[in-house]
Amino acid sequence: MNFERKLLVTGGAGFIGSHVLRLMVKKYPETLFVNLDKLTYAGNLDNLKDLADSNNYAFVRGDIVDEKAVGDLFLKYQFDGVIHLAAESHVDRSIEDPMAFIKTNILGTMNLLNAARDAWKDGFDGKLFYHVSTDEVYGTLGETGLFTEETSYDPRSPYSASKASSDHLVRAYMHTYGMPVVISNCSNNYGSHQFPEKLIPLFIDNIVNNKPLPVYGDGKYTRDWLWVHDHALAIDLIFHKGTTGETYNIGGFNEWKNIDLINELCSIMDKKLDREAGTSAALITYVKDRAGHDRRYAIDADKINKELGWMPTVKFEQGLEKTVDWYLDNSDWLDRIRSGEYKSVYEKQYGKMGA
Ligand code: NAD
Ligand code: DAU
């Protein structure tokens, strides 16, 4: 089959990547989407079940740190663009094992940039390298203020330092080699298919199983939460309509102190599980704080709103309830993660090759 365009999406088996693919594969039937994913603990082919029969979608298991594999893939497919989401993404893991973050987030991004530069050496016309990044590169805020695209970088965890580093490399390839790039920095996403190590799915799972809810420090840390599908819509918009060379901040205009969010979640869970009010909140347990815990993140998403007309579409209270419903209706998704069975999808679908 001949395609008008071929795009490489990295990390498509993860939380946000799977939402991006579900949106774009259906929306652009003339574009081939190749999903390159290593299938780390966070990569889950269950997330992409509904794309299995799509003609314009291909899955390749591979590591972005593997320079040759990345180069070969560019030779094989002659990509017109890249949407780069693959990363080690959990702050707590970056505190335990920083090197994994340096390898994937920095070296992996370098390999992709080099492969794109090689593949596009005859000209950058019609090409685009889109790097998906995070608001954590800006560091931490006090009680007031917002991160804008002009805020200086001040990363404070190995995760955010590795993402900041990758952002700098992407910009360096634009300034030095003229590569067409675009970057977005987004706030905390929530929704279906998020690995249950992150706050919301972890706490939903713990409440179902009557396990303690470990609140770090005083619980007054603040995050700006965005419905993951709204992030996917923003990525689609930026990729197709954004100005090359620009950075776009994406956020939910939706700040919550952790403890307030957790109480809201507990009250939704009590209702959904038909438990007496206060049952879930009784599981709240204050624990030792995360090392270097950033106090507050909040995004000024004015630029993407004014330039591209993007706005979040889902109100947080509704999105949180829909999220709870999804995890309760898809308890098999969580069970397959807990048992490790989700790892066998690759072998079943593709055999042992490339594992
Ligand atoms: P995730 O951890 O759910 O998924 C990451 C995916 O990348 C997985 O499928 C994993 O298998 C794959 N991967 C990891 N290392 C790889 C490697 N070496 N080679 C190939 N694939 C590899 O992450 P997520 O939450 O979906 O985040 C996606 C991107 O968005 C990341 O770049 C992250 O920094 C960024 N981001 C996330 C959030 C958020 O709230 N989750 C917010 C802003 C930005
Ligand atoms: O801001 C964007 C970032 O959001 C992304 O770049 C990251 O990939 C993503 O993981 C997320 O980072 P956070 O560290 O903000 O997310 P997490 O869900 O780990 O934690 C949210 C808040 O809840 C944070 O203040 C830490 C706190 N927390 C988290 C966990 C897992 C707890 O109090 N207890 C917990 O058990």
Side-chain angles (χ1 to χ4, degrees):
M1 193 166 165
N2 281 331
F3 291 98
E4 278 172 8
R5 221 173 174 199
K6 294 181 200 153
L7 300 185
L8 174 64
V9 176
T10 69
F15 167 47
I16 300 169
S18 66
H19 280 271
V20 168
L21 281 170
R22 261 192 307 282
L23 171 73
M24 292 179 73
V25 168
K26 294 209 172 100
K27 189 168 168 189
Y28 303 103
E30 308 302 333
T31 299
L32 174 68
F33 292 86
V34 177
N35 172 17
L36 173 64
D37 197 299
K38 182 180 174 181
L39 298 183
T40 65
Y41 76 95
N44 185 348
L45 289 180
D46 284 347
N47 294 353
L48 294 165
K49 268 197 228 149
D50 32 354
L51 295 185
D53 297 328
S54 306
N55 294 326
N56 60 330
Y57 167 72
F59 174 72
V60 176
R61 186 178 193 177
D63 187 342
I64 58 168
V65 180
D66 183 341
E67 191 181 341
K68 182 168 181 327
V70 171
D72 289 349
L73 202 66
F74 270 81
L75 275 180
K76 179 171 172 187
Y77 285 102
Q78 304 287 312
F79 296 115
D80 302 293
V82 177
I83 303 179
H84 175 34
L85 295 117
E88 287 292 341
S89 69
H90 191 38
V91 174
D92 292 333
R93 286 181 189 256
S94 84
I95 296 166
E96 291 304 313
D97 177 17
M99 191 51 86
F101 287 70
I102 304 311
K103 286 184 184 152
T104 288
N105 300 359
I106 305 180
L107 287 179
T109 302
M110 270 295 284
N111 280 337
L112 290 165
L113 287 165
N114 282 334
R117 187 175 152 233
D118 264 8
W120 300 339
K121 62 179 176 303
D122 293 334
F124 285 125
D125 257 14
K127 309 289 194 266
L128 185 61
F129 191 105
Y130 181 172
H131 179 58
V132 176
S133 193
T134 171
D135 60 356
E136 301 202 11
V137 299
Y138 298 122
T140 186
L141 290 165
E143 289 289 308
T144 57
L146 299 170
F147 295 136
T148 73
E149 288 80 2
E150 274 70 50
T151 303
S152 301
Y153 276 34
D154 183 21
R156 295 150 44 96
S157 75
Y159 164 66
S160 53
S162 68
K163 289 295 290 187
S165 187
S166 63
D167 293 11
H168 290 320
L169 286 167
V170 171
R171 289 196 187 94
Y173 273 58
M174 171 179 75
H175 292 298
T176 308
Y177 306 112
M179 185 179 289
V181 307
V182 69
I183 298 180
S184 59
N185 296 82
C186 188
S187 64
N188 286 61
N189 287 213
Y190 73 98
S192 69
H193 303 90
Q194 186 170 29
F195 196 82
E197 62 185 352
K198 308 280 166 65
L199 182 74
I200 292 178
L202 175 73
F203 278 31
I204 293 173
D205 195 33
N206 283 10
I207 291 170
V208 169
N209 295 296
N210 285 307
K211 285 163 66 178
L213 306 177
V215 178
Y216 297 163
D218 65 3
K220 291 184 183 153
Y221 293 83
T222 300
R223 297 291 182 266
D224 173 359
W225 293 91
L226 178 68
W227 178 242
V228 60
H229 186 67
D230 280 332
H231 188 189
L233 291 170
I235 289 174
D236 176 21
L237 196 60
I238 292 169
F239 187 78
H240 289 99
K241 303 262 165 59
T243 305
T244 303
E246 290 294 313
T247 294
Y248 294 90
N249 279 359
I250 309 169
F253 302 99
N254 178 44
E255 289 183 51
W256 284 75
K257 286 199 168 56
N258 291 341
I259 194 62
D260 296 337
L261 184 162
I262 291 161
N263 278 316
E264 175 77 18
L265 179 64
C266 286
S267 100
I268 296 174
M269 291 297 287
D270 284 345
K271 284 188 204 121
K272 298 281 172 188
L273 297 174
D274 219 2
R275 293 180 181 170
E276 200 182 316
T279 310
S280 302
L283 297 168
I284 291 173
T285 311
Y286 286 90
V287 298
K288 185 166 172 271
D289 210 349
R290 171 185 278 174
H293 201 168
D294 289 333
R295 193 64 174 167
R296 174 171 166 258
Y297 304 144
I299 280 278
D300 179 348
D302 206 42
K303 176 174 171 180
I304 184 173
N305 172 248
K306 291 233 164 70
E307 286 187 16
L308 304 178
W310 176 89
M311 268 299 274
T313 63
V314 174
K315 280 186 70 118
F316 186 63
E317 287 81 353
Q318 285 150 12
L320 193 59
E321 189 168 343
K322 277 163 74 166
T323 303
V324 166
D325 286 339
W326 189 86
Y327 287 98
L328 294 181
D329 292 345
N330 293 275
S331 54
D332 58 323
W333 183 89
L334 278 170
D335 291 345
R336 283 166 58 74
I337 288 179
R338 224 179 286 107
S339 68
E341 237 186 290
Y342 75 111
K343 288 274 165 213
S344 63
V345 181
Y346 179 79
E347 275 72 27
K348 280 201 194 112
Q349 278 180 12
Y350 301 95
K352 293 267 175 229
M353 174 190 67

